[in-house]
Amino acid sequence: MRADSSPPAARGRGGRILVAIGYGVFCHAAFVLGVGAMMAAMYFGMSRSLGTLSAPWSWIANAALLAQFPVAHSLLLTGRGRALVNRLGPGGTGTTLAPTTFVAIASLQVLALFALWSPSGTIWWQAHGAALVVLCVLYGCSWLLLGKAMFDAGLSVQVGTLGWVTLLRGQRLIYPKMPTTGLFRLMRQPIYVAFTLTVWTVPTWTPDQLAVAATFTAYCLVAPLFKEARYRRIHGAAFDNYASRVPYWLPWPGRPRSPSGRHCEPAAGRVRISRRQG
């Protein structure tokens, strides 16, 4: 468990409450819209969206939309990126609101990608009958698995509740412990695995969906490496011990698992670092 900031020096209790609620409402509205747009757009294989550009401009615009999420998302997790996020709050509240701000930005990026995509108009394959039922079940289960992974990782961090609720209560921001229970007993990156499953279990396939699936699969394979590098800096030998027992991506048979119900603590007691454990 990490404390990342002192209690915010609010101008007044009323002002602090208004800021907290305002950020919370905006964050969660953006989250719902972003996830909803993603679920709907991918269900139709990216063949339905608000983008209206024609080739070749649609290729350029779609490529930019596709690149902006992994690039900006990763940059915001760097030291300079976190410093920028920490400044995006009034009256010295930015650091406390950082988890909320980060989720809000990511949600807007997802919304832009899936709402503004310009479909190619080409549909390679659509499921019908029993195949449609099977794929709908798999698609739904992939999203449920993603929800479970987010819950195990700390739902307050994943959906942005942590920041604005902490500010609302006038408390110090404390991140949850490094997750090692639930799905994290089976694999170190269940969120990325579940996210990858969502892009491959859709009932409609188009060139657009293939581009999205290939890009995000590559991102989900590579991005966790940088996340784990941060974990090693923060948790040291405790993370190395956890990583030695639990596989990176897939729970291969015969691979030893982490002990049930135990969290890995930082090796040298409390660690106070102004970094987001995302």
Side-chain angles (χ1 to χ4, degrees):
M1 188 176 295
R2 297 184 296 116
D4 268 23
S5 68
S6 300
R11 295 179 178 177
R13 182 172 182 271
R16 187 189 75 236
I17 291 175
L18 287 176
V19 169
I21 294 177
Y23 269 68
V25 170
F26 180 82
C27 172
H28 299 319
F31 184 86
V32 170
L33 289 173
V35 172
M38 180 181 179
M39 294 177 70
M42 292 204 307
Y43 179 85
F44 295 106
M46 303 298 292
S47 64
R48 301 183 186 182
S49 190
L50 300 179
T52 57
L53 295 176
S54 301
W57 301 112
S58 62
W59 302 340
I60 298 172
N62 289 344
L65 288 170
L66 198 52
Q68 56 86 24
F69 178 79
V71 171
H73 192 78
S74 299
L75 288 176
L76 288 177
L77 287 173
T78 64
R80 291 184 178 179
R82 289 191 187 89
L84 174 62
V85 172
N86 289 343
R87 291 196 294 269
L88 300 179
T93 61
T95 301
T96 301
L97 287 169
T100 300
T101 304
F102 185 87
V103 171
I105 293 173
S107 299
L108 291 177
Q109 290 181 268
V110 171
L111 178 61
L113 168 58
F114 291 98
L116 301 180
W117 186 272
S118 295
S120 66
T122 300
I123 296 179
W124 285 338
W125 181 79
Q126 283 182 306
H128 298 282
L132 177 60
V133 173
V134 170
L135 284 173
C136 285
V137 170
L138 291 175
Y139 190 58
C141 288
S142 297
W143 282 102
L144 289 175
L145 184 66
L146 179 57
K148 166 63 173 170
M150 292 172 65
F151 178 83
D152 292 340
L155 199 60
S156 64
V157 175
Q158 302 300 317
V159 303
T161 305
L162 179 63
W164 75 264
V165 170
T166 298
L167 180 62
L168 183 68
R169 294 173 176 172
Q171 298 173 342
R172 169 179 288 190
L173 179 64
I174 300 177
Y175 284 101
K177 297 177 182 179
M178 185 179 74
T180 59
T181 58
L183 293 175
F184 287 86
R185 292 177 55 208
L186 306 176
M187 63 194 89
R188 302 201 301 273
Q189 303 299 335
I191 291 179
Y192 290 93
V193 172
F195 187 78
T196 301
L197 289 176
T198 66
V199 303
W200 291 103
T201 54
V202 298
T204 301
W205 277 96
T206 65
D208 313 67
Q209 181 63 33
L210 181 59
V212 169
T215 300
F216 277 111
T217 299
Y219 172 73
C220 289
L221 283 168
V222 175
L225 297 174
F226 298 95
K227 176 181 178 180
E228 293 198 347
R230 295 196 306 273
Y231 270 41
R232 283 191 170 89
R233 289 195 299 269
I234 296 170
H235 299 287
F239 177 78
D240 288 332
N241 187 34
Y242 166 69
S244 69
R245 298 191 304 268
V246 180
Y248 176 66
W249 230 61
L250 295 176
W252 299 110
R255 180 71 185 266
R257 301 174 182 174
S258 59
S260 174
R262 181 179 300 174
H263 286 87
C264 293
E265 300 289 352
R270 174 173 292 190
V271 178
R272 186 167 177 170
I273 303 175
S274 294
R275 293 192 177 104
R276 177 186 182 276
Q277 183 177 318

